[in-house]
Amino acid sequence: MICDDARSALLGGEAVAQFDAHLAGCTDCQAVLPELEHLRRSLADPALWEESSRTADDLVAAIGHRRHVQSMPGSRRRWPIGVAAVLVFAVGVSALAIVRHHPADWTVPLVGAESALGATGSVAGWNVDGGNRLVLETSGLAAAPPGEVYELWFMSGDEAFSAGTFTDPGRVQLMIGVARREYPNVLVTLESADGDPAPSATWVLWSTWDEEGR
Amino acid sequence: MIPGRVRRRFRAGDPDAVRAFYEEFQRAVFAVTFRALGDRGLAEEAVQATFLQAWQASSRYDPERDPAPWLYAIARRAAIDVYRRERRHDESGDQPEMAALPETFESTWEAWEIRLSLDRLTGEERAVVRAIHFLGMSQREAAEFLSLPIGTIKSRSHRAHRRLAEMLSHLEEASA
């Protein structure tokens, strides 16, 4: 009992004169004195007392967005890589016919997501047979770290279709073999070489999310 | 303490259960990431990443077990990821994956345990402990600050520190 009171007083930084006799003779208390003192100092650490300014609502909102791109059952989630590659190649060949200075058929503004809050961008598209030729322009986004790439995705609900990867995000030309109207939402992620075909959790740019665009 | 039915809902990916986990553990997760990273903004980012990763991995969580150690491991990992990303940006010539972590990462378990213990105090007890340790007040100053009689402060302080000493005795024993 007196051990508990003595230790409480020590941890609280109180004057412990009344416990001096006990502490002098109690080997158990003497053994924990240094650690109690360490704990007392630790209790002043701001990390223990300050709190994140982000709320549970912020988290649940982020989860709401993620739910559209997480691994979900269903064969339409993503086209087989081989089919996609053939489509991308085919569209790429036909896109060569596009006159360089034609205005884009559509443009989607992008804003920085939580991993790149200061970044902005846009993706412009030219309709071609079987898909779209794309030009992605970004600002405030550093080159992808070694071993990682950026990936541009077109989304419809929980379906994600990759338009390709890149490392230098300044101005990127890509092709995609799907109609923009079928995949109204646009996302740029940072991907590691983990073999996971789904978009990663590291979102860097996204369009204004169209929840109705499923 | 998170009830079993909420743990099971968490495992199913229910956002409301994730919210309950966040309310219960976000202060301890922030203590880990802030102590490790020493930067509020980065720590907040790591907190968000921790709970998103926990939600993404919820199907692997065993609802029969205490989620605290599992969440701590995710929080520490999230802080490491943020640290290495920042290091990559600062020192692009280095091999960040090989670099040792700073000493601040060594005491994250202690921060986690202390913060969880503080959360188990009553709000009144915690206010007194905060005034004494974080704000550096004497008991008399704390009484004035909290508009309470000095006797109330003394009894709350004694009770709070006694409970803390009990709850954290395993840290004392581990180091003794």
Side-chain angles (χ1 to χ4, degrees), chain B:
Chain B
M1 185 65 77
I2 301 279
R5 62 183 166 75
V6 178
R7 296 186 196 182
R8 287 188 287 278
R9 280 170 40 212
F10 177 84
R11 188 179 193 283
D14 180 349
D16 285 339
V18 178
R19 180 191 295 272
F21 270 57
Y22 185 86
E23 300 290 0
E24 178 79 10
F25 291 108
Q26 63 98 0
R27 287 169 297 275
V29 170
F30 186 72
V32 167
T33 59
F34 195 13
R35 179 171 284 192
L37 297 164
D39 178 280
R40 162 175 280 280
L42 296 177
E44 290 185 345
E45 187 183 335
V47 170
Q48 186 88 341
T50 297
F51 285 96
L52 280 172
Q53 289 169 23
W55 170 71
Q56 288 172 318
S58 58
S59 62
R60 296 196 295 275
Y61 164 64
D62 178 357
E64 301 304 317
R65 303 181 69 169
D66 178 4
W70 180 70
L71 273 176
Y72 166 75
I74 296 174
R76 188 171 186 278
R77 183 71 236 180
I80 290 171
D81 288 347
V82 168
Y83 170 76
R84 286 186 169 152
R85 185 198 68 201
E86 292 301 304
R87 191 176 159 87
R88 268 200 298 263
H89 289 173
D90 292 346
E91 305 171 30
S92 56
D94 271 11
Q95 294 183 331
E97 295 300 323
M98 302 298 289
L101 294 169
E103 286 182 4
T104 52
F105 278 81
E106 293 175 8
S107 59
T108 53
W109 174 251
E110 177 192 79
W112 171 264
E113 289 287 291
I114 296 175
R115 184 61 237 195
L116 285 183
S117 297
L118 289 170
D119 285 342
R120 291 184 192 119
L121 300 177
T122 67
E124 293 168 338
E125 291 169 347
R126 198 161 46 245
V128 172
V129 175
R130 179 177 182 274
I132 291 171
H133 294 285
F134 181 53
L135 301 179
M137 294 178 171
S138 67
Q139 291 186 335
R140 189 161 298 283
E141 289 168 332
E144 196 169 316
F145 176 67
L146 296 170
S147 302
L148 290 169
I150 182 68
T152 304
I153 293 295
K154 284 185 175 178
S155 61
R156 286 182 185 172
S157 173
H158 180 75
R159 194 166 56 240
H161 287 104
R162 183 169 176 156
R163 292 187 62 200
L164 283 173
E166 287 169 3
M167 287 188 283
L168 297 169
S169 60
H170 60 292
L171 294 181
E172 299 161 15
E173 289 156 6
S175 305

